């Protein structure tokens, strides 16, 4: 089976020759492409080159345009800095106070340099391997994007205070995220990854009040474009998993290592959502020996359902031993 055939069959709980390997790689992609992180995050050609090398060497079952959460922030008007070997960031948040939300630019994904670079990455991945590999584009979830523009601590306070600017601003961001998702689907993305890490920092009540409907509508919109959705929320999402199952309904739900994987699989049993996870990327994949890796991967396989996929809970560190990645992938064959 090709990786594309394999993943699509697995999502439908059909027999496969291998459980799909959906590890997230970014710094390792840059390393494989022979460039620093700043170049990887700004040059789609290097992102594509590194992805193809990683997919072949480590048995990945998808290729991805993921790099950093600041592409849309740049398009909305934020000033973004690019450390040589660190994730791009905004030193001064664009939204310093609620009134600054009016500064957000109604951007065109094909006109802003950073969003266009991701669209080009998707287009090139699709052109080169789209027949064999599912191509994953990426957007930020609405709550996560607000945090990118305002600051995580500031957003937490604003949510607690129920600031008046939140709804209009999040509506504005939602429209922008939809445009960015569509541009990537038009370029050939089979999936859109939606990153919404901030959602793990709020309780179910706040997530339900302020974020779940945006996640649901974004998934619904992407489905309407003919693509599928991989929802990625770093951290402990245990408390909001039932809301995601019942309201958001992504095709794939990434589960980080601090969530009990067996319980997560049980939560989504019988739903249309496939759970993906969830070895510890540091203590298992980076620092673990072969026995540690085999134990953790074996546990994920043992508690999996018929549509479950396997990956580290979050990004694979660049210094992860190649032997650990190959051990993991070898265990996924049926």
């Amino acid at each position: 089976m090709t990786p594309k055939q394999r993943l699509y069959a697995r999502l439908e709980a059909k027999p496969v020759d291998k459980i799909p390997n959906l590890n997230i790689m970014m710094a390792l992609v840059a390393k494989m492409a022979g460039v620093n992180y700043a170049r990887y995050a700004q040059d789609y050609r290097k992102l594509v080159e590194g992805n193809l090398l990683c997919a072949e060497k480590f048995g990945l079952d998808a290729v991805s345009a993921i790099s950093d959460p600041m592409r849309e922030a740049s398009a909305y008007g934020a000033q973004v800095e690019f450390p040589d070997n660190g994730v791009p960031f905004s030193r001064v948040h664009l939204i310093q106070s609620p009134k600054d939300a009016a500064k957000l630019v109604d951007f065109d994904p094909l006109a802003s340099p950073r969003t266009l670079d991701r669209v080009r990455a998707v287009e090139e991945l699709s052109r080169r391997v789209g027949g064999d590999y599912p191509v994953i584009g990426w957007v930020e979830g609405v709550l996560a994007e607000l945090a990118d523009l305002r600051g995580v601590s500031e957003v937490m306070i604003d949510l607690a205070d129920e600031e008046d600017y939140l709804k209009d601003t999040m509506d504005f961001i939602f429209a922008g995220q939809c445009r960015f998702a569509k541009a990537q689907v038009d370029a050939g993305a089979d999936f859109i990854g939606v990153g919404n890490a901030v959602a793990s920092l709020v309780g179910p009540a706040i997530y339900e009040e302020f974020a779940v409907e945006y996640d649901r509508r974004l998934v619904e919109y992407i489905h309407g474009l003919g693509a599928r959705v991989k929802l990625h929320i770093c951290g402990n999402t245990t408390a909001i998993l039932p809301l995601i199952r019942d309201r958001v309904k992504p095709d794939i739900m990434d589960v980080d290592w601090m969530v009990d994987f067996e319980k997560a699989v049980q939560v989504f049993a019988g739903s249309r959502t496939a759970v993906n996870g969830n070895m510890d990327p540091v203590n298992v994949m980076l620092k673990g020996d072969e026995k540690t890796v085999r134990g953790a991967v074996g546990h994920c396989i043992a508690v999996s359902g018929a549509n479950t996929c396997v990956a580290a809970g979050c990004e694979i560190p660049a210094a992860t031993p190649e032997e650990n990645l190959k051990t993991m992938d070898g265990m996924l064959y049926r």
Side-chain angles (χ1 to χ4, degrees), residues 95-130:
I95 303 176
Q96 289 288 298
S97 68
K99 63 181 177 59
D100 291 333
K103 295 179 179 179
L104 298 186
V105 175
D106 198 14
F107 73 93
D108 176 355
L110 301 182
S112 175
R114 295 221 66 221
T115 51
L116 177 59
D117 184 77
R118 178 169 284 168
V119 172
R120 285 175 170 165
V122 168
E123 188 174 53
E124 184 67 4
L125 287 168
S126 180
R127 183 186 72 80
R128 293 180 64 174
V129 297

Side-chain angles (χ1 to χ4, degrees), residues 176-222:
Q177 303 311 94
C178 287
R179 290 195 302 273
F180 191 26
K182 184 177 187 302
Q184 293 176 74
V185 174
D186 289 347
D190 303 294
F191 284 77
I192 296 295
V194 176
N196 205 3
V198 175
S200 68
L201 302 180
V202 300
I206 290 179
Y207 179 68
E208 183 170 21
E209 181 177 358
F210 290 101
V212 72
E213 273 300 293
Y214 290 110
D215 284 351
R216 181 194 67 78
R217 289 166 57 198
L218 188 55
V219 169
E220 186 176 81
Y221 177 78
I222 294 167

Side-chain angles (χ1 to χ4, degrees), residues 21-208:
N21 176 347
L22 298 183
N23 273 326
I24 291 176
M25 297 182 181
M26 294 184 284
L28 186 52
V29 168
K31 179 180 177 180
M32 291 291 289
V35 297
N36 63 20
Y37 206 94
R39 176 82 181 277
Y40 154 74
Q42 296 179 86
D43 185 346
Y44 75 92
R45 290 159 295 208
K46 291 301 179 182
L47 183 150
V48 169
E49 178 186 339
N51 258 272
L52 299 183
L53 290 169
C54 285
E56 181 178 0
K57 189 164 191 174
F58 303 124
L60 302 184
D61 287 297
V63 290
S64 172
I66 191 173
S67 64
D68 66 276
M70 300 305 290
R71 290 183 184 262
E72 298 101 303
S74 176
Y76 283 119
Q79 296 297 311
V80 177
E81 299 183 26
F82 298 89
D84 284 347
N85 290 297
V87 178
F89 70 100
S90 183
R91 191 178 300 276
V92 178
H93 297 301
L94 183 63
I95 303 176
Q96 289 288 298
S97 68
K99 63 181 177 59
D100 291 333
K103 295 179 179 179
L104 298 186
V105 175
D106 198 14
F107 73 93
D108 176 355
L110 301 182
S112 175
R114 295 221 66 221
T115 51
L116 177 59
D117 184 77
R118 178 169 284 168
V119 172
R120 285 175 170 165
V122 168
E123 188 174 53
E124 184 67 4
L125 287 168
S126 180
R127 183 186 72 80
R128 293 180 64 174
V129 297
D132 293 325
Y133 284 86
V135 176
I136 305 178
W138 282 86
V139 301
E140 286 281 275
V142 173
L143 183 61
E145 184 57 36
L146 179 63
D148 293 335
L149 296 165
R150 174 79 168 119
V152 173
S153 297
E154 291 81 359
V155 164
M156 295 298 108
I157 294 170
D158 292 346
L159 292 171
D161 291 344
E162 299 187 356
E163 290 282 0
D164 292 339
Y165 86 99
L166 287 169
K167 185 181 186 305
D168 288 345
T169 304
M170 293 176 80
D171 285 347
F172 186 90
I173 291 171
F174 172 76
Q177 303 311 94
C178 287
R179 290 195 302 273
F180 191 26
K182 184 177 187 302
Q184 293 176 74
V185 174
D186 289 347
D190 303 294
F191 284 77
I192 296 295
V194 176
N196 205 3
V198 175
S200 68
L201 302 180
V202 300
I206 290 179
Y207 179 68
E208 183 170 21

Side-chain angles (χ1 to χ4, degrees), residues 1-10 16 132 134:
M1 303 178 82
T2 67
K4 196 168 195 174
Q5 292 169 336
R6 183 178 297 126
L7 180 57
Y8 284 8
R10 184 69 170 178
V16 291
D132 293 325

